[in-house]
Amino acid sequence: MTQGTDDRLADELGDLQESGPIDFLVIELPTDRATGDKAFPHLVDLVDRGIIRVLDLVVVRREDDGSVVGLGLEELDDGSTELAVFAGARSGLLDGDDLDEAASAVEPGTTAVVLVYENVWAAPFATALRRNGAQLVASGRIPVQALLASLDATEPVD
């Protein structure tokens, strides 16, 4: 990272010792229907309630030939959301290689939203752990589809 990136990141995050965990999502949207009309109002709500803080929100399209093209956030906004609040949400955490890697996770011909966010709700807990010398050594997510499949497998057969 360059000094400018370090400064921008420091401005965005403040004191890292006081930050909550930082996560990322890569969301695949069909390019012909890539709007934020149903999901993004929930993202705005999470930010408004102080649950998360968006550090980066970047839109890319993986073309049919596999090439990656950056898109403007306005290409997802059909007027039904307040996505303009995320315009310029670039902390410096993501570089071109990160965006290429994120785009490689989605199918050709689709649009991807790359979202990096701080879990503000967990900051007091994480800060207390760090002050006591603890550190997070692993984390993960269980996809809802896997949970549902597991529950279906445990249901008794009639």
Side-chain angles (χ1 to χ4, degrees), residues 55-131:
L55 302 174
D56 291 282
L57 198 149
V58 182
V59 183
V60 295
R61 181 175 52 235
R62 184 169 178 206
E63 301 290 2
D64 290 329
D65 66 3
S67 62
V68 178
V69 177
L71 301 176
L73 191 56
E74 67 278 357
E75 295 191 44
L76 292 183
D77 193 356
D78 63 356
S80 65
T81 62
E82 301 170 17
L83 288 179
V85 301
F86 300 120
R90 295 296 300 263
S91 68
L93 286 170
L94 298 173
D95 63 18
D97 290 339
D98 295 322
L99 296 176
D100 287 343
E101 185 176 341
S104 72
V106 301
E107 292 296 319
T110 60
T111 299
V113 176
V114 183
L115 174 65
V116 178
Y117 61 96
E118 176 193 359
N119 291 283
V120 176
W121 63 269
F125 176 64
T127 299
L129 288 172
R130 284 190 290 272
R131 287 186 179 148

Side-chain angles (χ1 to χ4, degrees), residues 139-153:
S139 71
R141 293 238 156 69
I142 301 171
V144 172
Q145 296 86 343
L147 181 61
L148 293 173
S150 178
L151 290 173
D152 285 345

